[in-house]
Amino acid sequence: MAKTKEVTLQISGMTCAACSTRIEKVLNKMDGIEQANVNLALEKSTIQYDAEKLDVLAIETKIDKLGYGVVKEKLELNITGMTCAACSTRIEKGLQRMDGIDEANVNLALEKATIAYHPAAVTPADIIAKIDKLGYEATQPKQQTQDHRTDAIRRQQTKFMWALILSLPLLWTMVAHFSWTSFLYVPDWLMNPWVQMALATPVQFIIGWQFYVGAYKALRNKSANMDVLVAMGTSAAYFYSVYEAVNAARHDGHMPHLYFETSAVLITLILLGKLFEARAKGRSSEAIKKLMGLQATTALVEKHNTVQEIPLEQVKIGDIVHVKPGAKVPVDGVVLEGASTVDESMLTGESMPVDKQRGDTLYGATMNGNGFFKMTAQKVGRDTALAQIVQVVEQAQSSKAPIQRLADKISGIFVPIVVAIAVLTFITWFMFVTPGDVTQALEVFIAVLVIACPCALGLATPTSIMAGSGRAAEYGILFKGGEFLEQTQAIDTVVLDKTGTVTNGQPVLTDIIASKMDEAELLAFIASAEAQSEHPLAQAIVTNAKERHIVLKHVQSFEALTGYGVQAVVDEQRVLIGTRALMDKHHLSFEAFEVQMTAFEQQGKTAMLVALRDELVGIIAVADTVKETSASAIQRLHQMGIEVIMLTGDNERTAQAIAAEVGITKVISQVLPQQKAQHIEALQQQGKRVAMVGDGINDAPALATAHIGMAIGTGTDIAIAAADVTLIQGDLNKIADAILMSRKTIRNIKQNLFWAFAYNTLGIPIAAMGLLAPWVAGAAMAFSSVSVVVNALRLQRVKL
């Protein structure tokens, strides 16, 4: 049964009724939206949605992608004190009940919370106070060079070492109880109940105090977590042992049944598991650390006619920065003076250095070659390309995938159910299985409590999302959220824009045919005339002439003839360059060149006739060339069972020529920018899961409409902002890589969830049957979460 919720969002950026209609139309097509009404006058939208299928953050993301803004802010907090999935679930529920909070995602693995809130209704201080009231500590992250968990790990190490020192003698006494270890010598004084109590008490109440604090805070807020289970289990073992020790002292000859070693060893094993888990979680965010480690720490800046070395964070927009040979480029900007080659492999994956000269763009954290240059800082701090990449990866790692909702729901009710099962098990053993034997019933009770801790369940999804999105980022694939990482694996249709996606997006001179004169001489006349034009085709011709070191001639006059071409006087000679219609207009016959002209056009090239001194002397052809990897990438997608479609505004002949060259059989051509989204919707109505790949402003609506929008990172900022996935390089192979990374990550999550569920499903009945000693149950629980994290870390070794 649907769980209907209603939310009212303040929307900015609407200018007319078409805007509100468009938002309503897109929202009402979303799976899980029951009704969406947009009021243009109030700039508000009232939305009824199924909370089982959708959350507010997904709705707001869709509105953002349409180019409008939801008036809200995001707050990121570091949270300490969480021990299991029940903790993160409780914080989320507590925050979501606050007025003004749209969405709260708490990531147990990252120990972070991402909160979308309306500043008019609630403040960050209110949110932090609420988390503190729930029993956890929340702080706003600061710029730092090391992981915020480092100090916590160090404290856990100290606690574990002291617990181990105090528990080992108790473990010695426990092992000596087995018949097959009876040969081991145990000093009599170590068997003394008061000695064992002296060893166990610091472990229970000093080192293990964190479990009591966590349990108290959880129960105070009418919930339960792992701390409740640990505190109950170890306290039962400890206090029963105290009772037995007192009984032995009061009654001579009474042989006490002591479980001091059970409580102490359980706490020690749990601390060990938490220590391993914390270290493994730290490794799962290696991608962030690697990216942050790429940036320079200082910059050489011109100030008051001197060059000063200042910290990177002090560089301001407009500063003139000096970059020495072999140094890292500190911020994003443009070359002001000098020239060099720059290694941009960290950003693009291309191993060949790129030549840079005055006016060229530079990116922070790239490596300068052997030249010296000055640059003007244009983007600093969180606005640099590297910082934007880091933000996207952090956003993906902090967000939740829809597959996690099931685990969260189970974790929220799991602990109370386990406590009930444990109590029922104790009663059953004490009343029926071993009537009157409180010792045996207590052992089983403790084992059930300990084996059932839902740590692995809470870590199953977020650790895989962290590792998968981090590894994808290393390959230049940026998923903007866990939901997109999950949804990409279901794609069965990829729609490609042509220009800048399948092709390089920059026309180049491909052919020149000269008759009655030398080819270089003809190109000199053509390039001299075209140098006066700003048209991209003209620029392609001029660029080619410069690359051939052809000296341009003097131009006396120039005229651009719209729809025909150009005419100019070069070195006192009239030059005509253009279409057949231009030649007809000047009564020049081009029959001798017709066959070659048609051949060029069938190849998707723009062919132009050239006349000099009122006589046709050749043909020149310009084309937007296909990327070297496009054909192989498209073939790879076909092999994966994915349909590939080209969607372009170009004419059908050019589109079909390019499609044939790269192996695409279905082409939709002559599509206006505003019609692209309609074609995506038509494919979706056929039941296809569609990914749109584009790079231009005109692709943004289609990118927002598709199930998954993929933007080529070399494209426009608007396209990248509208997309769910950014492919930093222009290589279409990254599409297949993104789908494969998504498939591998979801497979990994399912493995984790299976083993987490299986562990608790099998572990609880085995413990309830008395087949697990409490310390064995503690060891199994401690290492179950570690095994889940280690399995997730396998994604960091994925080869694409």
Side-chain angles (χ1 to χ4, degrees):
M1 185 176 178
K3 184 179 179 182
T4 303
K5 283 189 176 183
E6 184 174 290
V7 64
T8 300
L9 302 177
Q10 190 82 33
I11 299 177
S12 62
M14 295 188 293
T15 56
C16 62
C19 299
S20 56
T21 302
R22 182 179 174 218
I23 296 171
E24 279 186 358
K25 184 178 179 182
V26 172
L27 290 181
N28 283 313
K29 286 183 179 179
M30 288 181 69
D31 186 25
I33 294 282
E34 295 175 4
Q35 186 175 14
N37 294 313
V38 181
N39 188 309
L40 176 62
L42 294 176
E43 294 186 335
K44 285 186 177 181
S45 175
T46 303
I47 303 157
Q48 294 178 351
Y49 65 99
D50 183 352
E52 300 287 337
K53 295 182 179 179
L54 208 59
D55 56 30
V56 178
L57 191 58
I59 298 171
E60 292 180 345
T61 300
K62 178 61 76 173
I63 294 172
D64 288 340
K65 286 168 60 178
L66 290 171
Y68 307 96
V70 178
V71 182
K72 64 182 184 302
E73 292 185 11
K74 280 192 177 181
L75 175 68
E76 288 189 357
L77 297 172
N78 291 333
I79 298 181
T80 56
M82 293 189 295
T83 56
C84 66
C87 298
S88 57
T89 301
R90 184 164 80 255
I91 296 171
E92 285 182 352
K93 287 181 177 178
L95 292 176
Q96 287 167 352
R97 282 194 286 265
M98 292 180 70
D99 292 335
I101 289 187
D102 285 344
E103 188 71 13
N105 284 322
V106 180
N107 189 305
L108 174 64
L110 274 177
E111 296 178 345
K112 283 187 177 182
T114 304
I115 300 126
Y117 71 99
H118 295 276
V122 68
T123 66
D126 297 331
I127 297 169
I128 292 172
K130 178 66 174 179
I131 295 172
D132 289 343
K133 187 178 178 182
L134 290 170
Y136 306 92
E137 184 179 349
T139 56
Q140 289 186 269
K142 299 176 182 178
Q143 290 291 336
Q144 50 192 9
T145 55
Q146 59 181 11
D147 195 284
H148 73 275
R149 301 191 194 93
T150 303
D151 290 338
I153 291 174
R154 193 175 294 115
R155 287 195 298 269
Q156 287 292 88
Q157 283 176 328
T158 303
K159 285 184 177 182
F160 168 70
M161 290 307 299
W162 278 109
L164 181 65
I165 291 169
L166 293 169
S167 299
L168 279 176
L170 295 171
L171 185 62
W172 188 4
T173 66
M174 182 180 69
V175 172
H177 280 93
F178 301 124
S179 58
W180 48 276
T181 57
S182 57
F183 62 89
L184 291 174
Y185 169 72
V186 180
D188 290 339
W189 62 268
L190 201 53
M191 301 301 292
N192 187 301
W194 306 110
V195 172
Q196 292 191 20
M197 185 188 297
L199 291 169
T201 300
V203 178
Q204 185 73 32
F205 296 109
I206 298 176
I207 298 171
W209 186 246
Q210 66 187 64
F211 300 112
Y212 285 102
V213 173
Y216 166 73
K217 290 178 177 179
L219 294 172
R220 185 185 65 185
N221 288 286
K222 299 178 182 180
S223 64
N225 61 1
M226 187 199 83
D227 290 332
V228 173
L229 299 181
V230 174
M232 285 183 66
T234 59
S235 295
Y238 177 85
F239 287 112
Y240 180 74
S241 300
V242 172
Y243 168 79
E244 283 288 288
V246 172
N247 254 359
R250 292 174 58 189
H251 303 94
D252 289 338
H254 175 72
M255 293 296 295
H257 296 281
L258 303 178
Y259 290 93
F260 288 120
E261 79 283 351
T262 298
S263 65
V265 170
L266 275 177
I267 289 174
T268 303
L269 286 172
I270 292 167
L271 289 174
L272 178 62
K274 286 293 176 185
L275 185 58
F276 284 159
E277 180 186 307
R279 285 178 170 175
K281 286 192 292 187
R283 282 184 57 202
S284 63
S285 57
E286 280 296 316
I288 295 289
K289 294 177 187 175
K290 287 180 182 177
L291 289 169
M292 293 300 291
L294 291 172
Q295 63 186 4
T297 56
T298 61
L300 296 172
V301 178
E302 276 191 18
K303 287 186 180 291
H304 311 298
N305 297 321
T306 62
V307 178
Q308 302 175 17
E309 186 173 9
I310 63 174
L312 184 66
E313 55 269 20
Q314 293 182 15
V315 179
K316 296 180 175 61
I317 294 173
D319 280 351
I320 297 175
V321 181
H322 290 212
V323 182
K324 294 181 178 180
K328 286 183 178 179
V329 177
V331 294
D332 293 4
V334 295
V335 178
L336 180 66
E337 182 181 316
S340 183
T341 58
V342 176
D343 180 1
E344 296 183 341
S345 58
M346 54 72 58
L347 192 66
T348 65
E350 299 293 337
S351 58
M352 290 297 292
V354 181
D355 290 331
K356 299 288 183 179
Q357 54 190 353
R358 182 180 173 85
D360 287 341
T361 302
L362 296 162
Y363 299 100
T366 55
M367 186 67 71
N368 185 24
N370 296 323
F372 168 83
F373 57 82
K374 295 181 184 180
M375 64 178 290
T376 303
Q378 290 188 329
K379 292 182 180 180
V380 300
R382 293 177 67 86
D383 294 327
T384 64
L386 177 64
Q388 294 292 321
I389 292 171
V390 170
Q391 288 174 43
V392 171
V393 177
E394 285 180 333
Q395 178 182 331
Q397 293 188 342
S398 299
S399 64
K400 285 191 176 183
I403 197 172
Q404 191 174 341
R405 292 195 183 113
L406 175 62
D408 286 349
K409 286 180 183 177
I410 292 174
S411 298
I413 61 172
F414 195 74
V415 174
I417 292 173
V418 168
V419 172
I421 292 173
V423 171
L424 183 62
T425 301
F426 177 85
I427 294 171
T428 303
W429 276 79
F430 184 72
M431 298 292 294
F432 305 108
V433 182
T434 55
D437 188 349
V438 68
T439 302
Q440 184 62 40
L442 186 64
E443 277 198 12
V444 178
F445 170 77
I446 295 170
V448 171
L449 284 178
V450 173
I451 196 73
C453 288
C455 305
L457 197 59
L459 292 168
T461 300
T463 47
S464 295
I465 293 291
M466 288 167 63
S469 58
R471 185 59 170 167
E474 292 178 25
Y475 278 98
I477 303 164
L478 303 181
F479 291 95
K480 291 191 177 177
E483 65 271 29
F484 306 126
L485 181 56
E486 177 181 339
Q487 293 167 10
T488 299
Q489 54 90 28
I491 292 300
D492 56 29
T493 304
V494 171
V495 179
L496 301 174
D497 175 49
K498 181 182 77 69
T499 305
T501 303
V502 176
T503 66
N504 287 300
Q506 293 181 336
V508 296
L509 176 60
T510 57
D511 303 273
I512 180 167
I513 296 176
S515 65
K516 303 180 182 179
M517 66 188 308
D518 179 73
E519 180 181 302
E521 181 70 8
L522 176 59
L523 183 56
F525 276 100
I526 298 170
S528 299
E530 296 286 13
Q532 315 304 311
S533 172
E534 295 295 326
H535 195 283
L537 298 182
Q539 295 302 308
I541 295 169
V542 175
T543 298
N544 185 272
K546 289 180 178 178
E547 289 172 353
R548 296 190 189 190
H549 304 291
I550 291 175
V551 179
L552 300 186
K553 301 176 181 293
H554 179 62
V555 179
Q556 282 78 37
S557 66
F558 170 84
E559 183 182 2
L561 307 170
T562 305
Y564 292 96
V566 301
Q567 70 174 5
V569 176
V570 180
D571 275 1
E572 309 296 337
Q573 300 181 66
R574 188 171 75 159
V575 180
L576 297 173
I577 309 167
T579 63
R580 296 176 179 85
L582 177 62
M583 301 306 154
D584 278 336
K585 188 176 180 180
H586 288 274
H587 309 292
L588 298 176
S589 175
F590 50 83
E591 290 182 1
F593 297 97
E594 180 61 41
V595 174
Q596 191 60 59
M597 280 279 288
T598 303
F600 283 147
E601 289 168 344
Q602 289 175 344
Q603 295 168 19
K605 299 174 182 179
T606 299
M608 294 166 280
L609 294 161
V610 183
L612 183 64
R613 297 183 295 271
D614 293 328
E615 183 180 10
L616 253 71
V617 292
I619 305 176
I620 192 164
V622 178
D624 182 6
T625 56
V626 170
K627 294 176 182 176
E628 292 181 1
T629 57
S630 291
S632 60
I634 290 164
Q635 182 183 10
R636 188 177 166 202
L637 289 170
H638 285 148
Q639 291 170 348
M640 293 169 64
I642 295 171
E643 182 182 9
V644 182
I645 300 170
M646 181 187 288
L647 183 66
T648 178
D650 275 357
N651 65 73
E652 185 175 355
R653 178 183 289 180
T654 301
Q656 289 290 352
I658 297 296
E661 187 175 346
V662 297
I664 296 176
T665 55
K666 185 172 181 180
V667 179
I668 305 173
S669 58
Q670 295 176 304
V671 179
L672 296 174
Q674 60 269 31
Q675 295 174 333
K676 287 190 174 183
Q678 296 171 9
H679 284 282
I680 297 295
E681 289 176 351
L683 291 170
Q684 291 172 329
Q685 289 168 3
Q686 296 172 25
K688 299 180 185 294
R689 300 290 298 180
V690 183
M692 172 69 195
V693 186
D695 75 321
I697 293 173
N698 61 344
D699 298 321
L703 290 169
T705 304
H707 291 107
I708 292 293
M710 294 187 181
I712 299 296
T714 52
T716 66
D717 290 341
I718 293 177
I720 293 171
D724 309 309
V725 184
T726 299
L727 312 176
I728 293 178
Q729 302 171 33
D731 188 349
L732 296 190
N733 275 299
K734 294 302 173 185
I735 303 170
D737 287 345
I739 295 171
L740 284 174
M741 196 70 232
S742 173
R743 290 178 179 177
K744 288 179 182 292
T745 302
I746 298 307
R747 187 184 307 128
N748 190 276
I749 289 173
K750 289 178 178 178
Q751 291 169 354
N752 282 348
L753 288 174
F754 171 79
W755 287 113
F757 279 120
Y759 166 80
N760 286 313
T761 303
L762 296 174
I764 292 174
I766 291 173
M769 288 187 289
L771 301 177
L772 279 181
W775 72 273
V776 175
M781 185 278 294
F783 286 101
S784 65
S785 57
V786 177
S787 65
V788 164
V789 176
V790 169
N791 183 54
L793 291 178
R794 293 191 303 114
L795 290 169
Q796 291 187 332
R797 299 192 298 272
V798 167
K799 302 292 184 184
L800 296 176

